[in-house]
C-alpha cells in the first residue's frame, strides 16, 4: 500500500518530528516559499496531511491547490497564519499542541508574574554587582490574595488559573461567552476584566480578531500597583501604550515572553527595570518539546488508518 504523503509546510518543525514522520509517511518539504510552491505544483493532488506551525501561512489559495488534504497538524498552540475558516468549510480537522504545552507555558506565566513583582532580575544584578553589602534591596510586591485576570481560558489559561489558586490568588476571566461549569467570575469585556484584576495575564489566541485587544483603555484600567503578563502574542497588546504606562508608572510592572515584532524588542522596553523580558520561550523545555513532537506525529497517524 502506498504511504500517505505529508507536506512539512513550516521550517519551524524540529528535526526529531521530521525524522519520526519520515518513518511513517512520504514527506515533502520543508522549504522556502518557492520550494513549497513547486512541491505543491508537482504533488498537490496527493498531499493528504500537513505538518506546520502557526507561523507558516496556510491560506485559502494554498488550500485550493490541495484537493486530497485530510488533516493539518500544528506544532504550536498558536494558529496565527492558518485560515481556520477555509479548513472548517471543507471539514478538514486542525490539531494543535496546546494540551502538550499548556503546563509549561503556565509555569512561565507564574514565573514572569513573580519575577516582575519581586523584581528578581534587578535582585540578581544587585547580588552579582556587589551592592548587597552596601544597601538593602527595595521591597517587592506580593501576589498572595490578589485577583488574577485571565484573558482567555483555554488549556493555557486554565493551567495558569489552577496554579494561581494554589498560591492563594483569586482567578477571574474574560472570554466571549462564559465557560460552562466554571466558577470563576466572568467578564465579556477585556477592560472590565482589567478593572477587576491586580495581575492581568494574556492567554488568548493571536490573529486578526484579537489584534490590539489590550489597548490603552485596558492598560489604564489596571493601575499603578498592577502587573501585566503576556505569554500569548505580542500583537494582542498596544505595545507603545504599554511602554508609556510602564514609563509613567500608570502600570506597575510587566512580564513579557512575546512582542509585537519578534525578535525585535523596542529599546524603551529593554531599558525599563519594572519589566521582565523573555525570548518567546513558553514551550521551550526538552520535555515539552518532546511532547509536542509526539502530539504532531500522533495526530498525523490518523492518516495511516485506511479510510
Ligand atoms: C505556541 O506554541 O504558540 C506558543 O507561542 C508557545 O510559547
Amino acid at each position: 500500500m502506498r504511504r500517505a504523503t505529508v507536506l512539512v509546510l513550516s521550517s519551524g518543525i524540529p528535526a526529531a518530528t521530521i525524522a519520526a514522520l519520515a518513518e511513517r509517511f512520504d514527506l515533502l518539504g520543508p522549504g522556502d516559499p518557492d520550494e513549497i510552491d513547486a512541491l505543491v505544483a508537482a504533488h498537490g493532488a496527493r498531499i493528504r496531511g500537513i505538518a506546520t506551525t502557526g507561523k507558516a501561512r496556510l491560506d485559502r489559495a494554498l488550500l485550493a491547490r490541495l484537493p486530497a488534504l485530510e488533516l493539518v497538524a500544528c506544532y504550536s498552540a498558536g494558529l496565527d497564519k492558518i485560515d481556520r475558516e477555509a479548513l472548517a468549510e471543507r471539514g478538514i480537522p486542525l490539531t494543535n499542541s496546546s494540551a502538550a504545552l499548556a503546563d509549561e507555558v503556565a509555569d512561565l506565566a507564574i514565573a514572569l508574574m513573580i519575577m516582575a513583582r519581586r523584581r528578581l532580575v534587578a535582585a540578581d544584578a544587585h547580588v552579582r554587582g556587589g551592592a548587597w553589602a552596601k544597601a538593602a534591596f527595595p521591597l517587592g510586591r506580593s501576589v498572595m490574595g490578589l485577583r488574577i485576570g485571565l484573558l482567555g481560558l483555554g488549556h493555557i489559561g486554565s493551567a495558569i488559573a489552577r496554579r494561581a489558586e494554589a498560591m492563594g490568588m483569586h482567578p477571574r476571566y474574560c472570554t466571549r461567552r462564559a465557560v460552562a461549569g466554571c466558577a470563576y467570575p466572568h467578564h465579556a469585556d477585556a477592560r472590565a476584566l482589567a478593572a477587576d484584576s491586580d495581575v492581568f495575564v494574556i492567554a488568548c489566541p493571536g490573529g486578526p480578531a484579537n489584534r490590539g485587544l489590550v489597548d490603552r483603555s485596558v492598560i489604564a484600567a489596571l493601575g499603578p500597583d498592577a502587573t501585566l503578563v503576556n505569554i500569548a502574542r505580542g500583537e494582542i497588546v498596544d505595545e507603545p501604550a504599554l511602554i508609556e504606562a510602564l514609563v509613567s508608572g500608570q502600570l506597575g510592572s510587566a512580564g513579557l515572553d512575546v512582542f509585537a515584532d519578534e525578535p525585535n524588542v523596542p529599546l524603551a522596553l529593554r531599558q525599563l527595570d519594572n519589566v521582565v523580558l523573555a525570548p518567546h520561550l513558553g514551550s521551550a523545555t526538552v520535555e515539552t518539546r518532546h511532547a509536542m513532537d509526539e502530539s504532531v506525529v500522533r495526530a498525523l497517524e490518523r492518516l495511516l488508518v485506511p479510510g
Side-chain angles (χ1 to χ4, degrees):
M1 202 175 70
R2 183 166 193 170
R3 302 201 314 167
T5 302
V6 168
L7 173 67
V8 180
L9 185 61
S10 167
S11 53
I13 302 279
T17 313
I18 292 182
L21 291 174
E23 284 171 18
R24 295 157 173 83
F25 303 106
D26 280 343
L27 279 198
L28 301 172
D32 64 31
D34 287 341
E35 286 163 337
I36 294 290
D37 187 60
L39 286 171
V40 170
H43 310 284
R46 65 180 173 92
I47 292 173
R48 292 176 54 202
I50 288 182
T52 188
T53 67
K55 285 185 187 155
R57 185 165 300 284
L58 177 53
D59 57 15
R60 200 173 276 279
L62 179 53
L63 287 168
R65 299 167 68 198
L66 303 170
L69 189 64
E70 290 171 45
L71 180 71
V72 177
C74 195
Y75 179 89
S76 61
L79 303 167
D80 313 36
K81 293 197 173 160
I82 298 179
D83 189 333
R84 299 167 71 177
E85 207 178 289
L87 284 173
E89 281 168 20
R90 276 177 53 190
I92 298 171
L94 168 64
T95 68
N96 71 358
S97 311
S98 66
L101 57 71
D103 284 317
E104 207 69 78
V105 178
D107 284 351
L108 182 72
I110 297 292
L112 289 172
M113 170 184 73
I114 295 177
M115 288 178 76
R117 292 190 70 79
R118 303 294 297 272
R119 302 189 59 232
L120 289 181
V121 174
D124 180 276
H126 190 77
V127 176
R128 286 175 201 267
W132 192 11
K134 295 174 215 134
F137 189 69
L139 298 180
R141 299 303 301 260
S142 176
V143 300
M144 269 173 303
L146 297 189
R147 300 164 302 167
I148 180 167
L150 297 150
L151 187 60
L153 199 70
H155 281 110
I156 296 172
S158 304
I160 297 168
R162 286 196 297 277
R163 283 159 173 74
E165 267 195 297
M167 295 169 63
M169 300 183 78
H170 304 292
R172 46 260 291 116
Y173 70 105
C174 171
T175 51
R176 228 161 265 138
R177 275 181 295 278
V179 175
C182 178
Y184 306 139
H186 172 251
H187 295 281
D189 169 73
R191 212 190 69 78
L193 178 71
D196 188 29
S197 302
D198 306 299
V199 173
F200 185 87
V201 184
I202 302 169
C204 61
N210 290 340
R211 192 165 296 140
L213 180 62
V214 178
D215 60 13
R216 197 171 288 279
S217 76
V218 176
I219 295 166
L222 279 166
D225 293 330
T227 300
L228 179 145
V229 173
N230 192 359
I231 44 73
R233 288 293 180 267
E235 64 183 3
I236 298 167
V237 182
D238 177 341
E239 206 167 68
L242 175 65
I243 294 169
E244 266 177 49
L246 287 162
V247 169
S248 70
Q250 186 191 30
L251 175 66
S253 56
L256 306 172
D257 185 41
V258 290
F259 305 89
D261 180 30
E262 295 174 10
N264 304 308
V265 177
L267 181 63
L269 208 46
R270 287 187 273 131
Q271 286 173 333
L272 287 170
D273 72 354
N274 52 350
V275 179
V276 178
L277 306 172
H280 199 150
L281 46 68
S283 67
T285 65
V286 172
E287 294 82 358
T288 287
R289 289 290 163 87
H290 180 68
M292 291 166 68
D293 291 335
E294 291 268 302
S295 77
V296 168
V297 175
R298 293 288 93 83
L300 284 162
E301 273 178 346
R302 288 187 222 169
L303 298 176
L304 297 174
V305 181

